[in-house]
Amino acid sequence: MNLREALAERVLVGDGGMGTMLQSRELTAADFDGAEGCNEMLNLTRPDVVRAVHDGYLNAGSDVITTNTFGCNWANLTEYGLQERLGELAAAGARIARRAADEAPGRRWVSASVGPGTKLPSLGQTDFTTLENAYETQLDAMIAEGIDGIRLETCQDLLQARAAVIAARRACARAGVDLPITVSVTVETTGTMLVGSEITAALVALEPLGIDMIGMNCATGPAEMREHLRALASHARCALMAMPNAGMPEITLSGARYPLTPDELADSLLEYTEDFGLSLVGGCCGTTPEHIAALRRAIGTDRPVAERSPEPLNAVSSLYSATELTQQTSYLAVGERTNANGSKAFRQRMLAGDLDGCVEIARAQTSQGAHVLDLCVDYVGRDGAQDMAALAARFTTDVTLPVMIDSTEPAVVRAGLEHLAGRSIINSVNFEDGDRPDSRINQVMPLVAEHGAAVVALTIDEEGQARTARWKLRVAERLIAKLTGDYGMDEADILVDCLTFPIATGQEETRRDGIETLEAIAGLTRRHPRVHTTLGVSNISFGLNPAARVVLNSVFLHEAVEAGLDSAIVHAAKIMPMDRIPDEQRRVALDLVHDRRHPGYDPLARMLELFEGVSAADVRAGRAAELAALPLPQRLHRRIVDGETDGLDADLDEALMTRDPLDIINNDLLGGMREVGELFGSGRMQLPFVLASAQTMKRAVAHLEPHMDAVGGVDKGTLVLATVRGDVHDIGKNLVDIIVSNNGYRVVNLGIKQSIDAIIEAAEANGADAIGMSGLLVKSTMVMRDNLAELDRRGLGRKYPVLLGGAALTRGFVEHDLAGEYSGQVRYAKDAFEGLSLMAKVMAVKNGEPGAALPEPRARRVPVCRPDRA
């Protein structure tokens, strides 16, 4: 039985710390042959010491031992001047472990330990190729000595981890072996990897590389790993592992001390095998053969791997976070302004070498609601690969969104992939020059597959750009078959661009182009529901003036989304919600898209009439005049819905002359936000506009806050408030903070993307009377569910009432579904004022006031089937 088969069959026990065990031996400078501190040198000078560590773990019950080669890499060995001996030291470490495993009773396996080194490519400390080549040298030598698997340990940088995985796969292919590859990342106490990556970003970036197992080691004890392992267990399709330290190190006069006893470590990891379906467990720093012996007793020898039902993440990622390709109640917005061909501002900055200016354009799209950035540097007379390398290196650390590498040039694509740490989308491949071995598709796709990227496939073949729905679908089917069959792509990682063309040229042959694209999108969605679709929307309106283009682009995008479009390359700030477009303009644009002509009426002619001489500024002025004509309360409400800040302060000052600020918030502003929530929930408003409304609300509340009368000298109770893990939206939460704190309560506002560990720690440290959790995204509702489960697991359910709020929540889900799973009290707060009311009731109950009680949970409304109508 090989290691991969064993990992699928039962839970295996690994070994413990190597470095801390070697440090406990009384070694002298002579033992290191002048390279004191380089543990890998001991493979040559003191193989007996290294062998003794392996034997200790094997005798304790380890199924899998790792080689003493953690620092056997280019960066570490260069510090000792030993880089030329990399292969020699790696081979020696593999030989010692192989011999120890072979001489131990029963079947034991050897994993190559591959460490991260001290130079991180995402930070520009080294380059991808140097790392990749060094890892190949290390693994070539170790494969030749008969290792059973490869474990990339303590990964701190996703770009470094990808270089190591690609090197491992190449080394295996060269040797003609198929060894299981494991990636073990290190998550700090901050809740992210060293460079800021969330655990889901790591999973999204690494799993598509074809790894066999992912997990965590080092930095923390098992307790701090729980939340991250839960996230992996929820989404990872590959096997899982954990090798924590023996607790968090305690610094003493005699050095670092790791506090977890063998039984405590074993109990935690046994629980994790049951809860999270781990296939491999072991230890890292501070763990000893005694810890492994206790773990062996707890796990036993034939414990099957616990079954999981993961929900895979079809997503891309930046260095920092993941973005799902399918957005709830929205389309995936790909920002188009970082394109040297489409954006004059970006092109000018790129040509001038103004990388800071390019980054600012990228960041602006982030704030406008883009989910992904389209990065195109191809420009006549430029070295595209050089430009891509420079910009991708900056975008990796300076921009939080994933990147779509927009080029068909293999050298440019490679440069982007080797500098972007997360999982990118490659835009694009097609059959324009056929499907020969030297065709562009067969030059680009090996890069896509090797780096685990997603890909845009354009419906272009040898005959040209597909114009009819039938032609588009025929090419799409051919592309999907090619990418899945020849390159092993998951259908969900393919984004088919059905292409759209200008429909306002007046030429008869173009009038149906919009219809053909919509029909192709609908047909492809029916045939391949897991394949994603994308579109460069602005092509549809080419030739019209800017004001007309905004309307036609917005209407066509709406129709495409209705047909099944998943993503669009757009300038989000120049897309309007359908409800905000004047009725006739909307109707004429729809007629133009669907070619609804009849005698005496041509929608193209009418479109030209409507916008003759009209500029984008005129449109804005008209909307401003309509807004100014509304009564003041309706005007404030409308400003929130439209995200309109011009004149906001003056309107608020006018309202303050006759009304209380809390009355303005409760009746006008919150009414606007409620409408925004309803529009968002129904799909009639997309996320960029929600964000604009939220920013307008934030500005309005900030303007009103100084005028609010705080209840001074009173501490009615403490509320710990947080936006949950993976969610960056905090406008509603911050409004709760303002309203509740101004009414005599102490609010501990933790901010965004807060883990349940951080929430619990704050609640305990501040003596919280209640916990409030917020989130805008649909996935945040599942995080809240997990958080409630964790509160219960820690025995805190009955201690902390929980108030939940956010656009994706419903009262029925919170007070019926979640309440049924939580041992304590959980209630839904539709807005800040209901949150204040609930907080008052929480404290009344806690203080024992007669008759005090929280509102009864509202049961979910279900239709009743009457017997006489069954």
Side-chain angles (χ1 to χ4, degrees):
M1 178 182 294
N2 63 34
L3 179 55
R4 182 180 286 116
E5 292 167 342
L7 286 166
E9 182 178 280
R10 61 187 175 91
V11 179
L12 299 185
V13 173
D15 55 8
M18 172 62 76
T20 48
M21 288 295 291
L22 292 174
Q23 291 163 18
S24 69
R25 306 300 173 106
E26 295 181 0
L27 298 172
T28 66
D31 291 318
F32 292 92
D33 193 24
E36 189 169 5
C38 179
N39 289 338
E40 289 68 32
M41 179 56 73
L42 298 174
N43 294 334
L44 298 177
T45 60
R46 292 297 304 273
D48 58 312
V49 173
V50 177
R51 171 66 186 263
V53 174
H54 289 319
D55 287 343
Y57 286 125
L58 289 165
N59 292 335
S62 292
D63 296 303
V64 187
I65 57 173
T66 48
T67 56
N68 178 39
T69 54
F70 179 79
C72 214
N73 55 65
W74 165 79
N76 286 58
L77 295 182
T78 298
E79 296 177 9
Y80 296 98
L82 297 172
Q83 63 271 26
E84 299 302 323
R85 302 182 69 181
L86 193 159
E88 177 189 8
L89 294 168
R95 272 196 305 273
I96 297 168
R98 178 76 275 162
R99 189 172 297 119
D102 290 344
E103 293 175 5
R107 183 69 173 96
R108 313 297 180 99
W109 294 273
V110 175
S111 275
S113 172
V114 181
T118 57
K119 306 294 183 185
L120 304 182
S122 288
L123 302 184
Q125 296 168 342
T126 185
D127 65 272
F128 189 92
T129 302
T130 297
L131 277 183
E132 185 182 62
N133 291 340
Y135 285 132
E136 286 191 51
T137 299
Q138 178 185 0
L139 290 167
D140 283 342
M142 301 182 79
I143 290 171
E145 296 295 336
I147 57 172
D148 300 299
I150 298 168
R151 188 183 307 159
L152 314 174
E153 300 187 279
T154 322
C155 295
Q156 301 163 327
D157 178 354
L158 298 181
L159 195 55
Q160 166 264 321
R162 176 146 46 91
V165 173
I166 291 173
R169 294 180 70 84
R170 288 182 178 179
C172 287
R174 232 180 345 263
V177 296
D178 181 19
L179 302 182
I181 299 171
T182 297
V183 180
S184 181
V185 301
T186 294
V187 177
E188 307 291 333
T189 54
T190 57
T192 66
M193 293 166 64
L194 182 64
V195 292
S197 307
E198 297 173 357
I199 193 67
T200 49
L203 176 63
V204 165
L206 298 171
E207 191 175 42
L209 298 173
I211 61 175
D212 294 86
M213 184 158 57
I214 192 170
M216 301 172 63
N217 78 293
C218 208
T220 70
E224 293 78 14
M225 291 184 175
R226 169 178 282 276
E227 188 169 0
H228 310 297
L229 289 172
R230 179 188 289 114
L232 291 177
S234 298
H235 302 297
R237 286 170 283 196
C238 60
L240 302 180
M241 55 82 66
M243 301 186 80
N245 292 345
M248 296 296 295
E250 300 170 352
I251 306 303
T252 67
L253 291 176
S254 58
R257 171 183 173 274
Y258 291 88
L260 274 193
T261 67
D263 286 339
E264 288 171 335
L265 179 75
D267 288 345
S268 293
L269 289 176
L270 174 61
E271 183 181 346
Y272 291 175
T273 64
E274 296 170 345
D275 291 352
F276 306 133
L278 304 185
S279 296
L280 175 69
V281 289
C284 200
C285 300
T287 57
T288 65
E290 288 73 26
H291 289 87
I292 299 306
L295 185 55
R296 175 86 280 168
R297 290 192 297 271
I299 297 296
T301 58
D302 56 358
R303 178 179 296 275
V305 177
E307 291 187 11
R308 294 184 289 119
S309 299
E311 299 176 1
L313 289 173
N314 292 119
V316 289
S317 73
S318 65
L319 175 62
Y320 304 110
S321 58
T323 298
E324 294 189 54
L325 292 174
T326 300
Q327 294 287 308
Q328 297 108 347
T329 70
S330 180
Y331 60 92
L332 183 82
V334 182
E336 67 178 3
R337 296 192 60 224
T338 46
N339 185 320
N341 290 306
S343 167
K344 181 180 178 181
F346 182 78
R347 179 172 65 251
Q348 289 176 335
R349 285 164 175 77
M350 185 188 81
L351 295 177
D354 181 9
L355 299 185
D356 290 339
C358 292
V359 168
E360 285 307 310
I361 291 174
R363 287 175 171 169
Q365 292 183 101
T366 304
S367 64
Q368 291 166 355
H371 301 107
V372 175
L373 298 179
D374 179 83
L375 177 58
C376 178
V377 300
D378 293 344
Y379 192 69
V380 176
R382 299 283 295 186
D383 184 335
Q386 184 175 315
D387 286 335
M388 177 60 76
L391 281 164
R394 285 295 303 273
F395 278 31
T396 282
T397 53
D398 294 356
V399 178
T400 58
L401 297 183
V403 171
M404 176 182 281
I405 300 170
D406 191 342
S407 179
T408 58
E409 295 295 327
V412 176
V413 172
R414 180 185 296 278
L417 289 170
E418 292 184 354
H419 287 85
L420 291 164
R423 187 188 193 210
S424 301
I425 306 171
I426 306 306
N427 183 8
S428 57
V429 297
N430 59 69
F431 290 125
E432 183 177 13
D433 61 343
D435 187 14
R436 303 181 310 274
D438 62 342
S439 293
R440 203 171 293 268
I441 190 170
N442 291 315
Q443 294 180 53
V444 171
M445 279 309 301
L447 291 170
V448 172
E450 185 172 57
H451 286 262
V455 67
V456 173
L458 305 182
T459 51
I460 303 174
D461 64 8
E462 297 86 344
E463 299 175 38
Q465 301 180 63
R467 299 291 293 268
T468 67
R470 180 176 295 180
W471 186 2
K472 293 174 192 287
L473 288 171
R474 184 176 72 245
V475 179
E477 291 284 7
R478 184 181 167 196
L479 283 162
I480 294 166
K482 169 77 175 178
L483 301 185
T484 57
D486 289 1
Y487 293 101
M489 294 288 293
D490 185 334
E491 282 200 359
D493 293 330
I494 300 170
L495 294 84
V496 173
D497 187 337
C498 290
L499 302 178
T500 191
F501 303 95
I503 60 172
T505 65
Q507 297 173 294
E508 183 62 32
E509 63 266 25
T510 69
R511 298 298 287 260
R512 282 189 54 84
D513 279 347
I515 299 172
E516 299 292 345
T517 297
L518 296 177
E519 290 180 354
I521 292 170
L524 185 60
T525 301
R526 285 193 300 271
R527 293 185 187 187
H528 296 275
R530 296 185 68 247
V531 168
H532 289 88
T533 51
T534 192
L535 208 58
V537 170
S538 60
N539 286 346
I540 194 77
S541 64
F542 186 79
L544 295 175
N545 73 19
R549 293 195 72 177
V550 168
V551 170
L552 184 56
N553 290 347
S554 300
V555 168
F556 182 68
L557 175 59
H558 175 269
E559 294 300 283
V561 170
E562 289 292 301
L565 185 72
D566 299 297
S567 69
I569 303 173
V570 292
H571 184 182
K574 293 186 177 181
I575 296 294
M576 298 172 62
M578 291 286 276
D579 291 355
R580 208 177 295 175
I581 300 173
D583 289 346
E584 186 180 9
Q585 293 179 13
R586 184 173 64 249
R587 185 177 65 254
V588 171
L590 283 168
D591 289 345
L592 181 56
V593 168
H594 293 281
D595 192 24
R596 295 170 183 153
R597 288 176 284 174
H598 54 76
Y601 172 66
D602 184 338
L604 175 57
R606 182 57 184 149
M607 190 82 171
L608 295 173
E609 290 173 6
L610 285 172
F611 288 95
E612 184 177 5
V614 176
S615 68
D618 294 332
V619 174
R620 289 193 295 271
R623 286 204 299 266
E626 291 177 12
L627 186 63
L630 295 173
L632 184 57
Q634 293 173 242
R635 192 156 74 236
L636 288 170
H637 176 108
R638 197 73 233 161
R639 284 190 182 280
I640 299 298
V641 176
D642 291 352
E644 179 57 67
T645 57
D646 288 344
L648 174 65
D649 293 352
D651 282 353
L652 291 170
D653 288 337
E654 181 182 344
L656 283 168
M657 295 174 65
T658 57
R659 298 170 60 195
D660 179 80
L662 288 178
D663 177 53
I664 297 170
I665 292 173
N666 195 26
N667 290 302
D668 302 339
L669 305 184
L670 279 178
M673 284 306 294
R674 274 193 288 271
E675 182 176 343
V676 168
E678 291 166 1
L679 291 170
F680 178 66
S682 66
R684 288 179 292 157
M685 179 180 280
Q686 310 304 333
L687 186 59
F689 309 108
V690 176
L691 297 179
S693 295
Q695 288 299 325
T696 305
M697 182 72 177
K698 182 177 182 179
R699 176 170 168 174
V701 172
H703 188 86
L704 295 173
E705 189 175 7
H707 302 279
M708 297 181 195
D709 295 324
V711 179
V714 178
D715 184 1
K716 295 182 178 179
T718 298
L719 173 67
V720 165
L721 200 56
T723 300
V724 298
R725 172 176 55 82
D727 202 317
V728 299
H729 303 98
D730 64 351
I731 303 299
K733 170 184 65 65
N734 291 342
L735 182 58
V736 172
D737 182 356
I738 292 168
I739 300 300
V740 173
S741 60
N742 273 280
N743 279 274
Y745 298 92
R746 184 166 74 98
V747 176
V748 180
N749 190 338
L750 300 181
I752 61 174
K753 297 167 68 174
Q754 293 297 310
S755 68
I756 186 59
D757 289 338
I759 294 170
I760 291 173
E761 181 179 352
E764 295 283 273
N766 290 280
D769 298 294
I771 291 172
M773 293 185 238
S774 175
L776 174 71
L777 304 177
V778 172
K779 66 180 181 180
S780 295
T781 63
M782 297 298 101
V783 176
M784 292 177 188
R785 181 195 64 189
D786 292 343
N787 288 353
L788 292 174
E790 182 63 13
L791 284 166
D792 266 344
R793 192 193 69 81
R794 299 193 193 186
L796 299 173
R798 297 190 180 280
K799 181 176 182 179
Y800 293 119
V802 176
L803 314 181
L804 300 179
L809 291 169
T810 64
R811 192 175 300 278
F813 176 75
V814 173
E815 298 187 0
H816 182 270
D817 297 346
L818 294 185
E821 298 180 10
Y822 187 52
S823 65
Q825 298 289 336
V826 59
R827 294 293 187 277
Y828 170 72
K830 73 177 185 296
D831 55 36
F833 288 93
E834 186 170 4
L836 173 63
S837 174
L838 286 169
M839 192 64 193
K841 291 179 171 63
V842 165
M843 294 312 300
V845 171
K846 186 168 185 177
N847 294 330
E849 295 180 15
L854 288 175
E856 285 296 315
R858 299 188 195 176
R860 180 185 292 280
R861 294 189 182 128
V862 294
V864 176
C865 180
R866 289 177 50 181
D868 60 334
R869 296 183 181 177

